[in-house]
């Protein structure tokens, strides 16, 4: 799962000399939170984030005269004055898994994608990863989730898939959640049918436990995060 | 007592979904027997089904969808668009009868021969989209009735209440951009239930924004949450919209004994909900309400649920 298949390719960019207001308006107009900054030859030199924009704006606690002065100062600002230099980048040859782990590690919301010579090829945002995850879950097609709790041993998933197949039901996705209960796994099957009553009973008669939907969770991991770089 | 119409036709039993399918003709037979045994038949005005003109189906569905469905039946394909949609050679004709019967019922309510009505039809309709059959549904009965009211009876604002436990994706899609038809659906939260749409954040698009409203109920919830949702969502929405006619997509599968969902609505909960909907129709529509059967698969519970549904339509007391 390489990044170049999921990234956005036609990226709106600005140059170092682009004015502050122009950059801000571009972001607002397109609903972007990240604007890569490139040289004329496409070499990435930085990124402007919505955070850079916000921190350059005048404080709300100024009086009218001070605000006027501030606005004048800001109107002279260029992208190069506010951009984040040396942003965290990824390469088209990196994978989606790399990007997920890197987001967890750096807490960055979008990565410019650059090739070996440092030229911008695209941008990969959390939004792109969300789209990929929705696709993997298969939830844009009509269907029904089941959550089946199984012993953590070889061959369980096969039995489940066989039982579903015998019912002539197509599977939209299968997820296996780890770190559930000791020695157990939770298998989420997204079945492309409205009619799960029978297969549910069948799985139960085979000795599988179906988990109460109100207890479903993909994430039983402790919520620790790597510390962000100072 | 109100003059309540009851659309029922034995030909609806001919739509054969094969063995092991939950949407069976036994559902309708059980409902009919229940009405008979409760002595309600003589109090109701019976409406027989008539075949609809295709132009009314085309008010909602593409000619291609209609043709493909007809062909699938002629060729006895056994299913249409999805393995869930099991059917027989007669299914197309039965679906046309169901729609025609509903439109006949609409006429009688609109010209004053009836005050309101319940249409016990098969196949159901609310999952059917303009170009797609889904979830046992082929033609969107209620959506077609709404368009018919607008075209044939010059009604400007139709309010649809869908209490089937599943979201009526077809009805939503058909009226998504339409401010003249308000679609309210209360159903099990889409992450736990077919078809996976009908989130609270889906509110219609374009000029239809604000004319679609969903109340989502979590697994294990029931009467209390339904009451809260109707009071919080439906009642104020209809107060603002002021529908001229109310159409009900009446699915009985939210019942605690129905294993199509984990929702735990009781028979009393259904009665409270229906009384509330009838009160809204009394308040804004001069009582004009046409209810159409959707799902509901607990065959042992359908008699009491549909008896109560009819008693409430007639204005009788329900314990």
């Amino acid at each position: 799962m390489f990044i170049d298949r999921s990234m956005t390719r036609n990226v709106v960019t600005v140059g170092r000399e682009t004015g502050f207001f122009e950059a801000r308006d571009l972001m607002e107009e397109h609903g972007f939170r990240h604007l890569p900054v490139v040289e004329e030859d496409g070499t990435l030199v930085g990124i402007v984030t919505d955070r850079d924009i916000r921190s350059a704006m005048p404080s709300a606690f100024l009086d009218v005269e001070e605000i006027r002065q501030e606005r004048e100062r800001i109107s002279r600002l260029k992208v190069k004055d506010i951009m984040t230099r040396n942003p965290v980048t990824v390469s088209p040859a990196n994978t989606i898994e790399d990007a997920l782990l890197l987001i967890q590690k750096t807490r960055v919301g979008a990565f410019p994608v650059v090739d070996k010579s440092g030229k911008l090829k695209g941008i990969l945002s959390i939004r792109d990863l969300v789209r990929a995850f929705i696709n993997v879950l298969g939830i844009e097609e009509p269907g029904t989730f089941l959550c089946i709790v199984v012993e953590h041993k070889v061959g369980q998933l096969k039995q489940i898939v066989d039982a579903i197949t015998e019912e002539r039901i197509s599977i939209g996705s299968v997820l296996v959640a780890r770190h559930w209960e000791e020695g157990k796994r939770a298998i989420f099957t997204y079945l492309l049918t409205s009619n799960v009553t029978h297969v549910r009973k069948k799985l139960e008669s085979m000795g599988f436990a179906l988990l109460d939907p109100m207890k479903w969770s993909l994430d039983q991991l402790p919520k620790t995060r790597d510390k962000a770089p100072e | 007592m109100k003059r309540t119409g009851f659309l029922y036709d034995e030909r609806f039993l001919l739509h054969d979904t094969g063995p092991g399918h939950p949407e069976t003709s036994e559902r309708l037979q059980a409902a009919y027997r229940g009405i008979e045994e409760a002595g309600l038949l003589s109090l109701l005005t019976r409406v027989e089904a008539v075949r609809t003109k295709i132009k009314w189906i085309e008010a909602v569905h593409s000619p291609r969808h209609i043709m493909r469905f007809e062909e699938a039946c002629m060729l006895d394909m056994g299913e249409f668009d999805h393995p869930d949609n099991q059917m027989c050679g007669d299914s197309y004709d039965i679906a046309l009868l169901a729609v025609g019967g509903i439109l006949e019922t609409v006429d009688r309510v609109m010209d004053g021969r009836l005050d309101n009505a319940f249409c016990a039809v098969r196949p159901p309709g609310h999952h059917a989209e303009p170009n797609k059959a889904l979830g046992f549904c082929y033609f969107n009965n209620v959506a077609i009735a709404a368009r018919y009211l607008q075209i044939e009876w010059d009604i400007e604002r139709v309010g649809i209440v869908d209490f089937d436990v599943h979201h009526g994706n077809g009805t939503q899609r058909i009226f998504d951009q339409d401010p003249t038809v308000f679609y309210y659906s209360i159903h099990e939260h889409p992450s736990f239930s077919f078809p996976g749409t009908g989130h609270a954040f889906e509110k219609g698009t374009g000029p239809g924004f604000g004319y679609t409203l969903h109340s989502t109920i979590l697994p294990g919830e029931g009467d209390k949450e339904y009451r809260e949702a109707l009071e919080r969502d439906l009642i104020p929405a209809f107060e603002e919209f002021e529908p001229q006619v109310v159409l009900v997509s009446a699915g009985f599968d939210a019942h605690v004994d129905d294993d199509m969902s984990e929702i735990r609505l009781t028979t009393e909960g259904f009665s409270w909900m229906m009384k509330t909907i009838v009160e809204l129709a009394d308040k804004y529509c001069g009582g004009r309400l046409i209810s159409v059967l959707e799902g509901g698969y607990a065959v042992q519970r359908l008699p009491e649920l549909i008896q109560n549904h009819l008693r409430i339509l007639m204005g009788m007391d329900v314990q």
Side-chain angles (χ1 to χ4, degrees):
Chain A
M1 289 184 265
F2 291 101
I3 279 172
D4 64 345
R5 302 295 295 266
S6 296
M7 68 187 187
T8 302
R9 284 163 192 281
N10 299 317
V11 188
V12 176
T13 61
V14 289
R16 290 173 201 268
E17 300 297 324
T18 306
F20 173 85
F21 285 121
E22 193 185 330
R24 185 200 59 185
D25 292 350
L26 264 178
M27 289 171 81
E28 275 182 11
E29 184 187 324
H30 293 281
F32 297 152
R33 296 207 300 235
H34 303 85
L35 213 48
V37 186
V38 293
E39 303 278 25
E40 275 184 18
D41 68 352
T43 305
L44 181 81
V45 291
I47 193 164
V48 179
T49 69
D50 56 343
R51 196 166 169 174
D52 298 327
I53 298 280
R54 274 202 309 274
S55 40
M57 294 291 281
S59 155
F61 299 106
L62 300 176
D63 66 30
V64 177
E65 176 57 18
E66 284 170 322
I67 286 177
R68 200 190 56 76
Q69 288 174 5
E70 273 287 280
R71 287 191 72 82
E72 207 170 301
R73 178 185 67 79
I74 291 166
S75 70
R76 287 193 300 270
L77 283 179
K78 299 277 168 58
V79 157
K80 66 183 176 193
D81 304 318
I82 59 159
M83 71 183 185
T84 303
R85 287 158 209 274
N86 304 318
V88 185
T89 63
V90 292
S91 119
N94 280 133
T95 61
I96 292 282
E97 296 86 332
D98 295 336
L100 284 169
L101 295 170
L102 205 54
I103 282 175
Q104 196 180 31
K105 191 175 162 65
T106 62
R107 301 200 209 173
V108 166
F111 301 114
V113 185
V114 295
D115 66 11
K116 281 185 192 136
S117 61
K119 297 218 170 48
L120 183 73
K121 291 288 156 193
I123 190 162
L124 183 82
S125 71
I126 287 182
R127 236 183 272 182
D128 296 314
L129 294 169
V130 166
R131 197 187 56 225
F133 190 56
I134 288 173
N135 177 34
V136 165
L137 281 173
I139 52 175
E140 282 184 325
E141 257 186 288
T144 315
F145 269 114
L146 293 182
C147 177
I148 307 143
V149 183
V150 301
E151 300 288 328
H152 182 215
K153 63 182 186 195
V154 171
Q156 301 287 87
L157 190 55
K158 180 184 186 311
Q159 286 186 48
I160 292 168
V161 170
D162 284 348
I164 293 167
T165 307
E166 278 165 25
E167 296 288 314
R168 296 179 62 234
I169 293 171
S170 298
I171 298 175
S173 66
V174 178
L175 298 176
V176 181
R178 307 163 73 82
H179 288 266
W180 195 265
E181 235 177 277
E182 190 83 16
K184 299 242 168 124
R185 289 287 184 269
I187 297 179
F188 290 87
T189 56
Y190 189 63
L191 306 182
L192 302 183
T193 178
S194 57
N195 183 12
V196 292
T197 313
H198 196 255
V199 73
R200 212 189 268 154
K201 282 182 188 141
K202 181 169 183 168
L203 289 165
E204 279 170 340
S205 74
M206 290 164 69
F208 291 112
L210 292 178
L211 193 70
D212 175 355
M214 294 305 282
K215 293 185 181 152
W216 291 358
S217 165
L218 280 181
D219 186 13
Q220 297 286 298
L221 294 163
K223 287 201 175 41
T224 54
R225 259 190 309 202
D226 290 356
K227 227 177 161 197
E230 298 300 322
Chain B
M1 202 171 75
K2 288 181 178 167
R3 292 161 302 161
T4 296
F6 174 54
L7 169 66
Y8 179 80
D9 196 303
E10 287 195 343
R11 288 173 290 178
F12 296 153
L13 306 177
L14 298 175
H15 168 54
D16 184 358
T17 50
H21 198 282
E23 203 286 283
T24 59
S25 53
E26 285 161 41
R27 301 170 55 236
L28 227 50
Q29 286 169 313
Y32 186 81
R33 263 200 317 275
I35 294 165
E36 205 171 23
E37 282 164 15
L40 297 175
L41 267 187
S42 58
L43 305 175
L44 294 161
T45 306
R46 179 77 175 267
V47 183
E48 298 285 337
V50 286
R51 191 182 166 100
T52 181
K53 288 185 184 144
I54 298 295
K55 74 167 185 175
W56 298 121
I57 309 277
E58 284 178 349
V60 163
H61 296 281
S62 70
R64 190 175 142 68
H65 173 79
I66 302 168
M67 199 177 67
R68 285 196 311 112
F69 181 29
E70 184 179 16
E71 281 172 5
C73 286
M74 270 180 353
L75 300 172
D76 227 348
M77 303 284 279
E79 68 182 49
F80 181 54
D81 275 357
H82 191 289
D84 281 356
N85 305 325
Q86 293 293 316
M87 55 174 204
C88 64
D90 292 324
S91 296
Y92 174 77
D93 290 320
I94 308 307
L96 292 181
L97 280 174
V99 172
I102 293 165
L103 302 186
E104 170 69 22
T105 309
V106 168
D107 284 340
R108 296 198 197 183
V109 172
M110 294 308 294
D111 68 18
R113 278 179 285 168
L114 295 172
D115 294 310
N116 56 29
F118 174 64
C119 304
V121 297
R122 291 179 66 240
H126 74 152
H127 292 305
E129 298 194 353
N131 287 304
K132 190 168 73 178
L134 188 74
F136 324 152
C137 301
Y138 305 87
F139 294 145
N140 196 312
N141 300 322
V142 164
I144 295 166
R147 284 287 180 245
Y148 181 78
L149 278 164
Q150 294 187 316
I151 297 166
E152 197 71 357
W153 288 97
D154 291 328
I155 291 294
E156 283 166 16
R157 294 179 314 280
V158 180
I160 299 176
V161 180
D162 183 339
F163 62 72
D164 189 281
V165 80
H166 305 104
H167 171 236
N169 57 291
T171 315
Q172 181 195 7
R173 170 154 304 188
I174 290 156
F175 302 114
D176 195 49
Q177 301 192 36
D178 190 337
T180 67
V181 178
F182 195 104
Y183 178 60
Y184 172 78
S185 178
I186 182 165
H187 48 258
E188 185 171 16
H189 190 288
S191 294
F192 305 98
S193 182
F194 184 85
T197 49
H199 297 91
F201 58 77
E202 298 167 25
K203 293 179 173 172
T205 57
F209 182 81
Y211 296 91
T212 292
L213 183 63
H214 297 136
S215 303
T216 61
I217 306 295
L218 291 172
E221 294 183 341
D223 293 5
K224 177 169 157 284
E225 289 78 12
Y226 269 67
R227 188 181 282 260
E228 284 166 5
L230 260 63
E231 285 171 350
R232 179 191 64 228
D233 300 334
L234 174 64
I235 293 175
F238 271 22
E239 184 174 354
E240 187 156 327
F241 182 70
E242 295 188 13
Q244 295 164 284
V245 180
V246 169
L247 298 176
V248 180
S249 267
F252 295 93
D253 37 8
H255 194 276
V256 57
D257 293 338
D258 195 312
D259 52 18
M260 285 292 263
S261 83
E262 297 90 359
I263 298 300
R264 304 180 59 81
L265 199 59
T266 65
T267 300
E268 292 72 33
F270 271 99
S271 293
W272 179 84
M273 177 159 65
M274 191 57 192
K275 275 185 224 163
T276 305
I277 298 166
V278 167
E279 279 165 20
L280 289 170
D282 286 341
K283 190 165 170 189
Y284 301 112
C285 316
R288 292 188 300 209
L289 181 155
I290 298 113
S291 170
V292 179
L293 182 65
E294 301 282 0
Y297 307 94
V299 172
Q300 76 281 17
R301 288 295 183 197
L302 284 176
E304 73 191 43
L305 286 167
I306 290 175
Q307 283 163 14
N308 287 346
H309 192 74
L310 285 164
R311 285 194 185 106
I312 293 161
L313 283 171
M314 287 188 278
M316 291 164 68
D317 280 339
V318 172
Q319 54 285 61

